[in-house]
């Protein structure tokens, strides 16, 4: 999995927006649920969002609901995370992940593959 951000260095001011992307090579993501997790300094990796493959249903952690949007483009073998109204507490390393099933899981240990992580820093 290869990940990237739409802003150089992943730096954005509070209230700003950023889109993360994660592309896979070597296998198709069509049939797998895709998730985003994040890990802030001193904290465990936490689930942020997930999109299923069966019906495209999306799920969000309460902390990001209404601000983040997960999407996927199977033609590009890519999953995205659009982050709006960013807050300093959103600062973390963000990881995309591929689950073993078509349905979403909120548990990091359930994920089979991980992106290398993208630093997102929300600061004024």
């Amino acid at each position: 999995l290869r990940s990237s951000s739409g802003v150089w260095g992943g730096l954005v001011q509070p209230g700003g927006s950023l889109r993360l992307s994660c592309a896979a090579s070597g296998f198709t993501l069509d049939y797998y649920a895709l998730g985003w997790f994040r890990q802030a300094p001193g904290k465990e990796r936490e689930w942020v969002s997930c999109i299923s493959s069966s019906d495209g249903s999306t799920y969000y952690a309460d902390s990001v609901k209404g601000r983040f949007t997960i999407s996927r483009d199977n033609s590009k073998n890519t999953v995205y995370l659009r982050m709006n109204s960013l807050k300093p507490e959103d600062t973390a390393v963000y990881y995309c992940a591929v689950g073993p099933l078509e349905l979403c899981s909120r548990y990091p240990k359930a994920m089979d593959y991980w992106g290398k992580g993208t630093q997102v820093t929300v600061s004024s």
Side-chain angles (χ1 to χ4, degrees), residues 55-93:
D55 59 2
S57 298
T58 58
Y59 306 88
Y60 302 92
D62 289 341
S63 60
V64 306
K65 187 174 296 183
R67 300 187 297 117
F68 289 12
T69 302
I70 189 172
S71 62
R72 63 193 299 165
D73 186 339
N74 289 338
S75 67
K76 297 181 179 179
N77 221 26
T78 301
V79 61
Y80 303 93
L81 185 68
R82 165 61 71 176
M83 303 181 291
N84 295 325
S85 302
L86 283 164
K87 305 174 181 179
E89 48 264 48
D90 294 319
T91 296
V93 176

Side-chain angles (χ1 to χ4, degrees), residues 28-33 53-54 72 74 99-103:
T28 181
L29 300 177
D30 293 16
Y31 310 109
Y32 300 95
S53 64
S54 58
R72 63 193 299 165
N74 289 338
L101 303 173
E102 63 182 11
L103 300 179

Side-chain angles (χ1 to χ4, degrees), residues 2-12 16-23 34-39 48-49 51 64 67-73 77-84 86 90-97 115-122:
R2 295 178 290 108
S3 61
S4 63
S5 65
V7 176
W8 179 258
L11 179 63
V12 61
S17 299
L18 186 66
R19 189 185 75 165
L20 304 181
S21 63
C22 181
L34 305 175
W36 286 96
F37 296 77
R38 67 186 182 186
Q39 188 165 20
V48 174
S49 183
I51 182 168
V64 306
R67 300 187 297 117
F68 289 12
T69 302
I70 189 172
S71 62
R72 63 193 299 165
D73 186 339
N77 221 26
T78 301
V79 61
Y80 303 93
L81 185 68
R82 165 61 71 176
M83 303 181 291
N84 295 325
L86 283 164
D90 294 319
T91 296
V93 176
Y94 284 73
Y95 300 87
C96 59
K116 293 181 175 60
T118 299
Q119 176 68 52
V120 175
T121 302
V122 184

